[in-house]
């Protein structure tokens, strides 16, 4: 009972804050409501018994990435609510891609069976040890490949930030 | 039912203890500074100036409150609130002592023994910077903004090395992320500091940087940035910022004691718990933890009045080019030794 109330509360908060990200005129409010949205999603993870995922979500997204985002917004002083002039073609393409995304979401919601939903059988997902065992045995190759992806992103970031050697 | 009541009382007690220790840390800081500089320090309010924190608090509340004209009013108020909230949140996962016993039921002196305790601390720490950033930005003052930016980049840089040194701790304590387990694994004098001296040093330096204490208090360095991120704050909002910083110092000292100095463990605890009633031993163990905590609070103050402030580029170089490689090397060596000797 309590968990149902909590679920609806969290869901309402995440939907409202996500809408606020899009509709807010001031970028700083967008960033702040995105942080709130991340926290509510972390709450959902905890309700799914995935504490490890929840805390990693908070550390990585709310704690590091959003700090950098806020940092950029503050440094560029994007406080002025200016609306950048957009070309008609840009608007058209935005509507088109947004519509495509909407189509994908509708399709996935339609194909899912909510009526007889079963909770996942594997309940120990919250345990760091279990996640480690899974990652390093069953999912070793995807794990290694994604780490290669991260290394390449890091190297390119360093290259971009490096000063020109004269 | 009783367990909920007990936890509620524990939360309240922890809240009051945090505030009390923070209040008396301000007094202790002045006394330590006075001692190190061969002065007397505050001695007018009450015997030995012991009522000085109360006088300061009253002064803070009675001061005029100013919200700058072109600032963002709500964010300006939100900043110190978030900073205070995150400062108080960490104490939830710390094991404060051996369990108390009433009517044959054991009550653990820990609000939440979650299996991700260490990560929880890192998470709260990384969120804590928002208070400073929002407050500094909303002040609409370039000094405050510079202070906020310094604070956030400093925190992000030192979090990495801190996390790496924590990983070495996890390696030697059976990979459990629960703080109570880490403390229990340091029975007697098996304190992690003896196995991880380098990791301890890195963690200590990072704790100084995360708590914005001298020699890393560049976000509020008064000689260049007036007051840094709290330049525009007055009255109790400024009080909250300063107060939360002392709470952060208290909590960092507690975390250092738990991770590296055995928390409530001390040699002879096993003997005592065999011969004395459980509640007496529990109180003695709390006393042991607080002795360590008070030593580290003193250490924080000692360093503040001894070592001059870093320059900002030196701070960044230390974080990225010295501490981070050292902590990674420390982690690799720890892992290698454990694998090689099958410990």
């Amino acid at each position: 009972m309590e968990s149902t109330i909590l679920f609806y509360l969290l869901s309402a908060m995440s939907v409202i804050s996500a809408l606020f990200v899009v509709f807010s005129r001031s970028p700083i409010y967008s960033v702040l409501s995105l942080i709130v949205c991340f926290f509510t999603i972390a709450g959902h993870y905890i309700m799914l018994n995935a504490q490890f995922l929840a805390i990693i979500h908070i550390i990585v997204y709310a704690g590091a990435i959003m700090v950098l985002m806020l940092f950029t917004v503050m440094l560029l002083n994007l406080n002025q609510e200016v609306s950048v002039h957009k070309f008609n073609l840009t608007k058209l393409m935005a509507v088109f891609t947004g519509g495509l995304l909407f189509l994908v979401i509708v399709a996935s919601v339609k194909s899912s069976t909510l009526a007889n939903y079963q909770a996942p059988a594997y309940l120990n997902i919250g345990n760091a040890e279990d996640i480690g065992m899974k990652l390093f045995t069953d999912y070793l190759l995807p794990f290694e490949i994604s780490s290669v992806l991260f290394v390449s992103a890091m190297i390119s970031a360093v290259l971009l930030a490096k000063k020109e050697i004269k | 039912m009783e367990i909920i009541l007990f936890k509620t009382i524990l939360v309240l007690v922890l809240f009051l203890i945090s505030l009390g220790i923070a209040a008396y840390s301000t007094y202790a800081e002045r006394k330590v500074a006075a001692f190190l500089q061969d002065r007397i320090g505050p001695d007018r309010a009450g015997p030995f100036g012991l009522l000085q924190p109360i006088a300061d608090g009253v002064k803070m509340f009675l001061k005029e409150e100013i919200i700058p004209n072109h600032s963002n009013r709500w964010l300006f108020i939100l900043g110190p609130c978030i900073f205070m909230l995150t400062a108080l949140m960490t104490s939830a996962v710390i094991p404060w002592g051996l369990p108390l016993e009433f009517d044959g039921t054991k009550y653990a002196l820990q609000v939440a023994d979650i299996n991700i305790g260490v990560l929880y601390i890192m998470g709260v720490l990384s969120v804590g910077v928002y208070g400073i950033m929002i407050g500094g930005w909303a002040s609409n003052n370039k000094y405050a903004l510079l202070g906020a930016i310094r604070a956030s980049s400093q925190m992000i840089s030192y979090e990495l090395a801190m996390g790496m040194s924590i990983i070495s701790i996890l390696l030697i304590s059976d990979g459990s992320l629960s703080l109570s387990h880490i403390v229990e694994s340091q029975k007697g004098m098996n304190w992690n500091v003896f196995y991880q001296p380098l990791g301890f040093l890195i963690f200590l330096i990072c704790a100084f940087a995360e708590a914005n204490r001298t020699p890393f208090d560049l976000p509020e360095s008064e000689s260049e940035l007036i007051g840094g991120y709290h330049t525009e704050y007055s009255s109790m909002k400024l009080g909250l910022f300063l107060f939360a910083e002392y709470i952060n110092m208290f909590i960092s000292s507690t975390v250092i004691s738990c991770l590296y100095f055995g928390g409530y463990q001390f040699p002879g605890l096993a003997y005592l718990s065999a011969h004395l009633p459980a509640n007496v031993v529990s109180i003695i163990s709390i006393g042991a933890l607080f002795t360590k905590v008070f030593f580290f609070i003193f250490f924080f103050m000692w360093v503040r009045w001894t070592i001059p402030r870093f320059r900002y580029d030196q701070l960044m170089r230390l974080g990225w080019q010295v501490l981070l490689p050292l902590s990674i090397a420390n982690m690799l060596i720890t892992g290698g030794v454990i694998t090689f000797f099958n410990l």
Side-chain angles (χ1 to χ4, degrees):
Chain A
M1 187 59 209
E2 286 95 353
S3 64
T4 319
I5 297 173
L6 209 60
F7 172 77
Y8 280 116
L9 204 70
L10 276 175
S11 309
M13 275 170 74
S14 26
V15 170
I16 290 171
S17 54
L19 285 176
F20 212 78
V21 175
V22 185
F23 288 121
S24 168
R25 281 263 163 193
S26 153
I28 205 112
Y29 282 122
S30 284
V31 171
L32 290 180
S33 37
L34 191 55
I35 295 165
V36 174
C37 186
F38 282 146
F39 270 96
T40 55
I41 289 172
H44 280 296
Y45 282 139
I46 290 177
M47 290 189 66
L48 289 170
N49 209 13
Q51 300 97 334
F52 183 75
L53 203 57
I55 201 73
I56 291 295
H57 184 77
I58 285 181
I59 291 176
V60 173
Y61 285 94
I65 292 180
M66 290 319 287
V67 168
L68 289 178
M69 206 100 123
L70 203 60
F71 202 87
T72 322
V73 171
M74 284 177 177
L75 266 185
L76 297 181
N77 206 9
L78 294 172
N79 196 22
Q80 289 85 14
E81 298 178 0
V82 283
S83 53
V84 186
H85 177 72
K86 298 183 186 79
F87 296 104
N88 277 337
L89 186 66
T90 328
K91 283 181 188 168
L92 201 71
M93 290 315 288
V95 168
F96 182 65
T97 44
L100 278 182
L101 185 65
F102 184 67
L103 209 68
V104 171
I105 293 172
V106 166
S108 63
V109 168
K110 199 163 166 284
S111 64
S112 64
T113 46
L114 287 170
N116 48 5
Y117 171 71
Q118 290 281 321
Y122 189 69
L123 279 173
N124 264 341
I125 195 75
N127 205 331
E129 199 178 337
D130 287 346
I131 288 187
M133 286 311 275
K134 282 266 169 215
L135 274 184
F136 285 103
T137 52
D138 296 358
Y139 302 100
L140 186 60
L141 187 66
F143 181 73
E144 291 294 337
I145 288 176
S146 55
S147 69
V148 169
L149 189 70
F150 276 121
V151 169
S152 62
M154 265 166 67
I155 291 172
S156 28
V158 169
L159 267 181
L160 281 176
K162 212 172 85 175
K163 281 176 195 150
E164 290 280 333
I165 300 165
K166 281 165 193 142
Chain B
M1 198 57 229
E2 281 120 18
I3 194 82
I4 292 176
L5 188 70
F6 178 78
K7 295 280 182 196
T8 317
I9 293 171
L10 189 63
V11 168
L12 276 177
V13 168
L14 280 180
F15 177 66
L16 291 178
I17 285 179
S18 303
L19 291 187
I21 286 183
Y24 273 89
S25 297
T26 62
Y27 169 75
E29 174 119 71
R30 292 175 185 191
K31 278 290 186 191
V32 169
F35 170 68
L36 291 176
Q37 296 169 350
D38 205 10
R39 295 185 283 115
I40 295 175
D43 69 337
R44 294 290 127 175
F48 307 106
L50 274 172
L51 297 178
Q52 189 66 40
I54 298 164
D56 284 342
V58 171
K59 186 196 82 174
M60 280 289 185
F61 272 110
L62 293 181
K63 284 247 172 168
E64 187 193 355
E65 193 167 324
I66 301 165
I67 294 183
N69 236 345
H70 290 283
S71 66
N72 190 321
R73 193 184 166 81
W74 292 111
L75 293 184
F76 190 77
I77 297 172
L78 190 67
C81 299
I82 294 181
F83 198 45
M84 193 69 182
L85 179 78
T86 49
L88 286 168
M89 263 166 70
T90 320
S91 56
V93 293
I94 289 166
W96 296 95
L98 286 174
L100 284 169
E101 211 174 300
F102 298 115
D103 294 336
T105 323
K106 282 193 171 179
Y107 295 99
L109 284 175
Q110 189 178 15
V111 177
D113 186 8
I114 47 179
N115 56 7
I116 45 165
V118 180
L119 287 176
Y120 172 86
I121 291 175
M122 292 296 291
V124 173
L125 207 69
S126 59
V127 172
V129 70
Y130 283 120
I132 294 179
M133 283 188 88
I134 291 172
W137 181 80
S139 306
N140 194 25
N141 177 321
K142 56 188 164 202
Y143 295 113
L145 181 66
L146 275 175
I149 285 168
R150 278 185 176 186
S152 49
S153 37
Q154 176 177 327
M155 283 208 176
I156 292 178
S157 313
Y158 278 77
E159 240 163 46
L160 293 169
M162 197 175 211
M164 289 293 171
S165 55
I166 286 181
I167 289 178
S168 323
I169 287 285
L170 301 180
L171 283 175
I172 61 172
S173 59
D174 310 331
S176 172
L177 291 166
S178 152
L179 264 179
S180 59
H181 185 96
I182 292 175
V183 170
E184 261 165 42
S185 70
Q186 308 177 47
K187 278 212 163 59
M189 276 302 261
N190 275 325
W191 295 351
N192 283 338
V193 66
F194 302 124
Y195 304 103
Q196 286 288 328
L198 181 62
F200 165 66
L201 199 66
I202 294 167
F203 191 90
L204 189 71
I205 295 172
C206 293
F208 272 86
E210 296 280 332
N212 283 337
R213 291 286 298 187
T214 325
F216 305 113
D217 65 340
L218 285 133
E220 48 189 295
S221 57
E222 57 284 314
S223 52
E224 3 176 340
L225 293 183
I226 310 178
Y229 56 87
H230 54 60
T231 304
E232 293 283 357
Y233 281 88
S234 56
S235 180
M236 202 52 209
K237 289 206 201 65
L238 173 68
L240 277 183
F241 267 128
L242 302 181
F243 219 64
E245 228 178 276
Y246 280 98
I247 295 179
N248 273 337
M249 196 169 87
F250 164 54
I251 295 294
S252 332
S253 308
T254 319
V255 172
I256 292 172
S257 319
C258 283
L259 287 180
Y260 289 96
F261 286 84
Y264 56 78
Q265 306 270 3
F266 58 93
L269 183 67
Y271 175 81
L272 280 184
S273 53
H275 290 83
L276 285 173
N279 285 349
V280 177
V281 181
S282 171
I283 287 165
I284 293 175
S285 68
I286 298 171
L289 174 62
F290 272 92
T291 313
K292 293 167 192 171
V293 170
F294 288 144
F295 171 75
F296 277 105
I297 292 180
F298 171 71
F299 187 73
F300 268 89
M301 291 168 184
W302 187 9
V303 169
R304 171 165 181 183
W305 297 105
T306 311
I307 298 176
R309 189 179 285 142
F310 275 67
R311 227 171 45 220
Y312 201 70
D313 60 320
Q314 292 172 330
L315 169 97
M316 281 294 150
R317 198 178 310 136
L318 179 72
W320 287 99
Q321 298 186 354
V322 179
L323 291 183
L324 186 61
L326 266 183
S327 58
I328 292 176
N330 185 40
M331 184 181 79
L332 287 178
I333 291 168
T334 312
V337 167
I338 288 174
T339 322
F340 191 73
F341 293 105
N342 265 328
L343 294 174

